[in-house]
Amino acid sequence: MFDRFKKSRPAPAEPVAAQAPPQTGVPAGLVSLVKTAGVSLAKAGVPTGQRAAVYLVIDRSWSMRDYFSTGAVQNLADQALGLSANLDDDGTVPLMFFDDGPYPAVDISLDRYTNVVAEQHRLHGGQNTMGGTQYAVAMRAVIEHYRNSGATAPALVIFQTDGDPMDRDETRLRLAQASKLPIFWAFVGFGRSPLPFLQQLDTLGGRVVDNASYFHAGVNPAGLPDSVLYDGLTAEFGTWLTAARQRGLLP
């Protein structure tokens, strides 16, 4: 389980080559992110040429308002695109907000990502409509979207939050049930202290495979080096791919 407060990954004995991203025409503002994400994927043991649908799930509860206003959420969206450009043939990331319920997915892409978070936040009512925190409703929405997409590649879900949820039991059940699916959940926490519930999910029992990781990005996630964020998001993805194939969840 990846938690930068508890464990550290040993440095590779030799320099790690970045994956060759499948995308062309990457905007200048994302080139560095694409390269950095490729290095982290290689370090995590993700095979070159591995494809995955990258999702971004964002907590839109009231406590998140400062992270929206400072641009920290948009920064994570940019980072998600950098990861997707290495893994996804179309370089598109379904963006989903949640609070007490899910919001409709909107695609962000290499040619449509600037200020998308702020635009969508305003469309949903801005701070006036920010609610509570329920993970399970967002997880159900992701699973439904993935199933309806007809995707044959696995999904890597970046699931961001700054607080423990109100629906803990349902979330545990949902994550355990989802361990039968080709979906990996990379939970990322914002805030001063690690989130106890996400730490519990990271070690949850009763799963077919370990289908989740947890990385805490701290109180200033936008100030975290991109390489550290990507290492946190991808650290267990390669291990999960191997385990999922061994259990027949992936070809």
Side-chain angles (χ1 to χ4, degrees), residues 22-23 51-54 81 84-85 87-94 107-110:
Q23 293 299 317
R51 295 293 172 259
V54 177
L81 270 176
S84 176
L87 293 170
D88 199 330
D89 285 332
D90 64 6
T92 298
V93 176
D107 288 343
I108 55 176
S109 60
L110 296 177

Side-chain angles (χ1 to χ4, degrees), residues 31-32 37 44-45 105 133 148-149 168 184-185 189 192 199 215 249:
V31 169
S32 176
T133 307
N148 291 340
S149 73
R168 291 172 175 80
F184 183 81
W185 307 83
R192 192 168 303 280
Q199 292 174 321
F215 173 75
L249 305 181

